[in-house]
């Protein structure tokens, strides 16, 4: 290997350090908006959010059923031309997969679109023990889509085989985990999965708890967070770090818990309740920032503009 003279090497190192010190880091928080406008039209009431690895945002509308799309570097989102949503008045959960497909739920329907808005699949959930479904949130694993039902204590599942999606079927009636609790008040909300898809965490507003589900045997147990009452809306799971939005029974905001290796117990380590939130419903994580939806659902139809707030992730440099 050819040696570089010491003086030349030192000069090169000095120039490099000077250049790096003067150059802004890629997509640093100071370069990005703190607030994103989903829409300025009345009655939108944003609810769900997904951010892809390349920085594309998708936000759903509880008020209109529309999906909106934008970029993390642009403060304004635009309607996403998702075909087949004309008859769905409400869209709640929205997520993407590694192929860039956009999965969303609302009412009784689960839809899948490509990044251009072309409808790839549409599935309808059957009624549950309490009547018609109201699909709330979803998580996409390697082999399935799991969907929570706000109106029934039921988790639905659709199998994924390559590019095809199977029927959306009732998969787990969660009442057996807490049989003395009234069925109509389970109010299933956010749902996340570990990287292997073997464990689900399911939020229940009614029981004010998160429930751990083993996908192999459907064993259900309550996530133990000590004495903390913890009934989230939307959630994100990053390794052993659980991010959850609380808007009922606790000060509104983002709560972060550190979980054990089996995702059975944990401790709440951060409470972000002083942010610019307006009835937050869920969140997404990208880089070192958390993107939190301001739904205004407590005072429908709310007041435009409808927004997403970005806040720093205090656990950014922790081990996942």
């Amino acid at each position: 290997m050819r040696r570089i003279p010491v003086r030349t090497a030192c000069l090169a190192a000095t120039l490099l350090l000077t250049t790096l010190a003067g150059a802004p880091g890629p997509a640093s928080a100071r370069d990005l908006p703190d607030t994103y406008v989903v829409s300025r039209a009345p009655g939108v009431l944003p609810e769900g959010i997904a951010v892809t690895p390349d920085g594309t945002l998708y936000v759903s509308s509880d008020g209109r059923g529309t999906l909106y799309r934008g970029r993390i570097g642009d403060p304004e989102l635009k309607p996403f031309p998702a075909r087949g949503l004309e008859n769905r008045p409400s869209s709640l959960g929205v997520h993407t997969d590694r192929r860039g497909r956009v999965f969303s739920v609302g009412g009784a329907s689960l839809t899948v679109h490509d990044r251009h808005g072309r409808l790839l699949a549409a599935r309808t959930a059957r009624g549950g023990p309490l009547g018609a479904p109201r699909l709330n949130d979803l998580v996409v694993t390697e082999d399935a889509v799991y969907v929570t039902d706000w109106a029934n204590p039921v988790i639905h599942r659709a199998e994924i085989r390559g590019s095809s999606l199977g029927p959306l079927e009732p998969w787990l009636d969660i009442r057996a985990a807490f049989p003395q609790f009234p069925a109509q008040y389970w109010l299933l909300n956010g749902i996340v999965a570990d990287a292997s898809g073997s464990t689900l965490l399911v939020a229940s507003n009614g029981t004010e708890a998160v429930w751990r589900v083993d996908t192999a045997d459907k064993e259900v147990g309550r996530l133990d967070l000590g004495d903390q009452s913890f009934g989230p809306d939307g959630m994100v799971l990053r390794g052993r770090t659980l991010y959850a939005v609380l808007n009922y029974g606790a000060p509104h905001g983002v709560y972060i818990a550190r979980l054990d290796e089996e995702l059975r117990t944990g401790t709440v380590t951060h409470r972000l309740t002083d942010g610019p939130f307006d009835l937050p419903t869920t969140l997404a994580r990208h880089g070192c920032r958390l993107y939190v939806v301001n739904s205004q659902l407590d005072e429908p139809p709310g007041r435009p503009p409808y927004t997403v707030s970005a806040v720093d992730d205090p656990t950014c440099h922790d081990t996942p």
Side-chain angles (χ1 to χ4, degrees), residues 199-217:
T199 302
L200 306 177
L201 296 178
V202 182
S204 164
N205 263 167
T207 62
E208 296 189 23
V210 175
W211 298 85
R212 181 191 185 278
V213 181
D214 189 313
T215 58
D217 59 14

Side-chain angles (χ1 to χ4, degrees), residues 146 155 171-172 194 197-202 211-221 262 264:
Y146 296 91
I155 299 171
W171 178 73
L172 174 65
D194 66 355
S198 61
T199 302
L200 306 177
L201 296 178
V202 182
W211 298 85
R212 181 191 185 278
V213 181
D214 189 313
T215 58
D217 59 14
K218 300 184 183 180
E219 177 187 359
V220 183
E262 295 187 342
R264 296 181 184 275

Side-chain angles (χ1 to χ4, degrees), residues 88-92 105-110 125 132-136 147-149:
R88 190 165 83 186
S90 173
S91 291
L92 301 180
V105 295
S109 74
L110 161 66
R134 189 182 182 207
L135 304 184
N136 193 322
V147 184
T148 56
D149 189 337

